[in-house]
């Protein structure tokens, strides 16, 4: 009778003993990174790092049974090169786009500038001096105002070129993290830093999904108001398609993105009549006041967090760091919650 050979034992996963000082050091580094991005205006870069990593992971097809899969290096290359290709196509067709989408929004800007001049003519003299008195000046004034709001919302605080470069560098870094990833490490500090980064990336993924639904909800209610509510009273708003589209894309900026489109919608409403402008203002105020609750509900469902927790985090973030803190608060709190859950403290 032949002797049965036992199967070879499967390799055991690497067991790493992490000392308490190492864990504390990794948490301190994560804390300094989160605070430093707000203090030095690097929040767009940090968000782009997360986005670049998730895009590379999606292209690599991790966890997907069907569909094409790319190697990590090729997936990272696609993420790095795709924005450059898109920018090249945009520049090559810039002249044609000027008569398309860009031309439509230029017409909307011209329309809003004319509305500003009409408002100026109806205001008392001591108030009218604060508004421009010519069409060109009104366009420049309005464009500068919207640009300043957009810069404040994204936290760039500088020229758009610097913000674009910062976001692109972050995208490249995130893609390269996936493209150059190596086997699990046995170095304690590196292992803990990877754990912190994994929790942060997962929190970011949940926030992105939630923010998409928030933008969709905002655009839906704006469309209902412009296409259904106002027509019941015989009011036809111009540029409805552009306003709804602007509402959706501005809503992708967490919580405060609607400030830009709120100003535009109100001005367009005033151009129709003061009563319509007032109705738009009341509608937008209601949306703005309920924005915290809506965001907290949707984000809370994605991150398994109570609405009051996110509301408190958003209020504190805005009080300490302003608008960038308000944008980052849901993400940071979701990350902290994940760390606490991983440590079985909540």
């Amino acid at each position: 009778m032949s002797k049965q050979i036992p199967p070879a034992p499967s390799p055991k996963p690497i067991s790493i003993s992490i000392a308490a000082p190492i864990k504390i050091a990794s948490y301190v580094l994560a804390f300094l990174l989160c605070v430093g991005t707000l203090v030095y205006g690097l929040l767009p870069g940090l968000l782009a790092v997360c986005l670049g990593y998730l895009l590379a992971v999606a292209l690599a097809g991790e966890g997907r049974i069907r569909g094409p899969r790319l190697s990590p290096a090729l997936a990272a290359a696609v993420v790095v090169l795709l924005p450059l290709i898109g920018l090249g196509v945009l520049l090559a067709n810039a002249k044609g786009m000027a008569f398309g989408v860009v031309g439509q929004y230029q017409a909307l800007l011209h329309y809003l500038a004319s509305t500003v001049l009409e408002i100026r003519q109806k205001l008392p003299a001591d108030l009218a001096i604060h508004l421009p008195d010519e069409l060109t000046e009104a366009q420049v004034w309005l464009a500068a105002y919207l640009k300043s709001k957009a810069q404040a919302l994204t936290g760039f605080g500088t020229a758009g070129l610097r913000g674009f470069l910062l976001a692109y560098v972050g995208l490249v870094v995130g893609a390269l993290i996936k493209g150059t990833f190596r086997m699990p490490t046995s170095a304690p500090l590196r292992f803990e830093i990877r754990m912190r980064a994994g929790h942060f990336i997962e929190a970011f993924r949940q926030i992105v999904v939630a923010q998409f639904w928030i933008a969709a909800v905002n655009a839906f209610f704006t469309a209902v108001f412009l296409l259904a509510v106002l027509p019941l009273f015989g009011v036809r708003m111009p540029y409805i398609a552009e306003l709804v589209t602007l509402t959706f894309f501005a809503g992708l900026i967490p919580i405060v993105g609607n400030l830009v489109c709120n100003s535009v919608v109100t001005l367009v409403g005033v151009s129709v009549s003061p009563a319509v402008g007032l109705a738009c203002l009341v509608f937008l105020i209601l949306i703005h006041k309920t924005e915290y609750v809506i965001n907290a509900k949707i984000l809370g469902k994605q991150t398994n967090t109570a609405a009051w927790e996110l509301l408190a985090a958003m209020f504190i973030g805005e009080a300490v760091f302003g608008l960038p803190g308000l944008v980052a608060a849901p993400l940071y709190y979701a990350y902290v919650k994940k760390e606490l859950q991983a440590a079985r403290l909540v």
Side-chain angles (χ1 to χ4, degrees):
M1 184 175 180
S2 62
K3 184 178 180 180
Q4 186 177 5
I5 300 175
S10 58
K12 297 181 179 180
I14 300 176
S15 178
I16 303 176
S17 178
I18 308 297
I22 299 297
K23 279 185 172 292
I24 294 174
S26 68
Y27 288 125
V28 170
L29 290 175
F31 174 79
L32 293 177
L33 174 64
C34 292
V35 175
T37 54
L38 294 176
V39 173
Y40 296 103
L42 300 177
L43 181 61
L46 177 62
L47 300 181
V49 170
C50 300
L51 180 61
Y53 178 82
L54 289 178
L55 289 176
V57 169
L59 291 175
E62 287 190 0
R64 189 171 66 233
I65 300 177
R66 298 180 179 179
R69 298 183 183 181
L70 303 179
S71 66
L74 183 57
V78 171
V79 174
V80 171
L81 295 177
L82 199 59
L84 297 179
I85 296 174
L87 181 61
V89 173
L90 179 66
L91 294 176
N93 297 274
K95 184 177 180 180
M97 290 186 63
F99 297 98
V101 176
V102 175
Q104 293 177 0
Y105 281 97
Q106 286 177 343
L108 176 59
L109 180 62
H110 184 276
Y111 184 83
L112 295 176
S114 301
T115 303
V116 171
L117 294 183
E118 293 180 6
I119 295 174
R120 187 184 191 278
Q121 295 173 358
K122 298 177 181 179
L123 288 176
D126 54 344
L127 295 178
I129 59 174
H130 297 288
L131 294 177
D133 56 356
E134 293 183 2
L135 182 60
T136 303
E137 292 181 3
Q139 289 178 325
V140 174
W141 174 81
L142 190 60
Y145 170 77
L146 295 178
K147 182 180 178 181
S148 66
K149 287 296 182 184
Q151 289 176 347
L153 292 177
T154 55
F156 291 159
T158 55
L161 179 60
R162 178 183 178 275
F164 172 78
L165 292 176
L166 179 63
Y168 180 70
V169 169
L171 198 71
V172 171
V173 171
L176 291 180
I177 291 175
K178 176 60 183 176
T180 60
F181 185 77
R182 296 295 180 262
M183 295 299 293
T185 179
S186 59
L189 182 58
R190 182 180 297 179
F191 177 82
E192 282 298 306
I193 290 176
R194 286 185 178 180
M195 291 289 292
R196 307 286 81 75
H199 293 158
F200 193 91
I201 290 290
E202 178 61 19
F204 176 81
R205 185 193 66 79
Q206 293 175 335
I207 295 298
V208 167
V209 173
Q211 198 60 45
F212 174 84
W213 287 110
I214 290 169
V217 168
N218 290 336
F220 172 76
F221 282 115
T222 301
V224 169
F225 177 73
L226 298 178
L227 293 172
V229 177
L230 290 180
L232 291 177
F233 299 92
V235 176
R236 300 290 179 180
M237 288 276 285
Y239 298 102
I240 291 180
E242 289 80 2
L243 292 175
V244 174
T245 304
L246 179 64
T247 300
F248 174 77
F249 285 104
L252 293 176
I253 302 174
I255 301 165
V256 291
N258 283 338
L259 289 178
V260 172
C261 58
N262 285 357
S263 303
V264 174
V265 173
T266 301
L267 277 176
V268 173
V270 171
S271 70
V272 177
S273 72
V276 175
L278 180 61
C280 292
L281 182 60
V282 171
F283 167 77
L284 294 173
I285 288 176
L286 293 176
I287 289 295
H288 180 70
K289 292 302 181 182
T290 58
E291 187 75 8
Y292 283 105
V293 178
I294 294 174
N295 285 352
K297 286 290 186 181
I298 298 178
L299 291 174
K301 185 177 180 179
Q302 285 290 328
T303 61
N304 193 25
T305 303
W308 69 266
E309 297 178 64
L310 284 175
L311 285 172
M314 288 187 284
F315 284 134
I316 294 174
E318 184 180 21
V320 178
F321 295 105
L323 294 180
L326 183 62
V327 173
L331 172 60
Y332 285 5
Y333 188 79
Y335 164 66
V336 172
K337 193 69 176 290
K338 282 195 170 296
E339 292 288 4
L340 294 175
Q341 290 172 345
R344 298 182 179 180
L345 295 177
V346 294

